[in-house]
């Protein structure tokens, strides 16, 4: 089924020409020129997507989310309300004369962050730049992520620490002595081996 054209609320400001079919951008959201948003996304009230940000297909950005240049969100990612990304490990105002050389080009300061397919980020979480959040991982509300998060991992706290593993449906997984677990919701099987979880086809 073909998706309808993108929808823009009358109070939203969308300067980008790269917004996919079926995407809905709600009140007072701002999408800068140069941002790319895929198809069938939902961008909530007061969200901000900076030029250079990349948002995949079927992504949900809840109210108040800020997605900066250098952030890459894969398909099917969920970002909870008021979650924040960063893109500079040592921020200074570029108007300060002592840092002009560093801010002369994006390569001098910008650090990329990647959120892979199906991952979820809880409300008010902060993602420090330079990390990768793996496929179908889950970041708890209020967490501060300072290091990479493995696929299917559940992390929480300040700084975020691993609490366990979740399925593609977001259900906690309990592994048996052979390293296998079954999602109670979907019936899908998962294997834990050497600290990594994989989906069993």
């Amino acid at each position: 089924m073909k998706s309808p054209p993108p929808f823009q609320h009358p109070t939203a400001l969308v300067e980008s020409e790269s917004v996919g079919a079926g995407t809905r951008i709600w009140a007072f959201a701002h999408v800068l020129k140069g941002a790319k948003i895929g198809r069938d996304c939902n961008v909530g009230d007061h969200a901000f997507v900076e030029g250079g940000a990349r948002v995949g297909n079927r992504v949900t950005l809840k109210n108040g989310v800020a997605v900066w240049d250098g952030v890459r969100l894969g398909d099917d990612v969920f970002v909870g309300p008021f979650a924040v990304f960063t893109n500079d490990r040592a921020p200074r105002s570029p108007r300060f004369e002592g840092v002009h050389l560093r801010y002369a080009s994006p390569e001098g300061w910008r650090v990329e962050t990647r959120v892979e397919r199906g991952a979820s980020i809880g409300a008010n979480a902060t993602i420090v730049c330079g990390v990768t959040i793996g496929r179908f991982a889950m970041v708890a509300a209020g967490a501060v992520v300072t290091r990479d998060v493995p696929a299917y991992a559940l992390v929480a706290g300040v700084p975020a620490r691993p609490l366990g593993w979740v399925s593609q449906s977001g259900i906690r997984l309990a592994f048996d002595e052979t390293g296998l677990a079954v999602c109670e919701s979907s019936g899908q099987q998962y294997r834990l081996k050497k600290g990594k979880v994989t989906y069993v086809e």
Side-chain angles (χ1 to χ4, degrees), residues 3 6 25 46 49 56-57 60 65 67 69-70 73-74 84 99 103 105 107 125 150 155 176 186:
S3 297
I25 300 175
H46 297 280
V49 184
N57 301 317
T60 296
V65 172
V67 183
D69 180 13
L73 304 181
V84 174
V99 293
Y103 283 89
S105 69
E107 291 72 25
V155 299
D176 63 20
S186 66

Side-chain angles (χ1 to χ4, degrees), residues 24-181:
R24 301 175 71 79
I25 300 175
W26 293 101
F28 304 106
H30 190 177
V31 181
L32 292 184
K33 181 179 180 181
K36 292 186 178 180
I37 300 178
R39 66 182 186 275
D40 299 317
C41 295
N42 191 74
V43 179
D45 291 7
H46 297 280
F48 178 80
V49 184
E50 190 173 34
R54 300 290 180 264
V55 178
N57 301 317
R58 301 174 301 278
V59 171
T60 296
L61 302 179
K62 300 302 282 186
N63 295 3
V65 172
V67 183
W68 304 105
D69 180 13
V71 175
R72 306 287 184 263
L73 304 181
D75 294 346
D76 306 302
V77 164
F78 173 91
V79 185
F82 300 100
V84 174
F85 294 92
T86 62
N87 64 0
D88 189 344
R89 283 202 181 102
R92 297 289 192 204
S93 171
R95 291 151 188 84
F96 168 45
E97 293 181 1
V99 293
H100 279 177
L101 289 177
R102 181 168 174 262
Y103 283 89
S105 69
E107 291 72 25
W109 58 270
R110 185 182 59 205
V111 180
E112 287 195 357
T113 297
R114 295 185 178 274
V115 182
E116 297 182 344
R117 182 187 170 215
S120 292
I121 297 171
N124 289 301
T126 298
I127 312 301
V128 176
C129 58
V131 303
T132 295
I133 298 176
R135 290 165 56 90
F136 300 103
M138 186 169 288
V139 176
V144 177
V145 177
T146 60
R147 63 181 70 180
D148 290 351
V149 177
Y152 300 102
L154 169 64
V155 299
V158 181
R161 302 292 187 196
L163 292 183
W165 307 95
V166 295
S167 69
Q168 292 183 15
S169 300
I171 305 299
R172 290 286 295 267
L173 294 171
F175 290 91
D176 63 20
E177 64 278 1
T178 70
L180 289 176

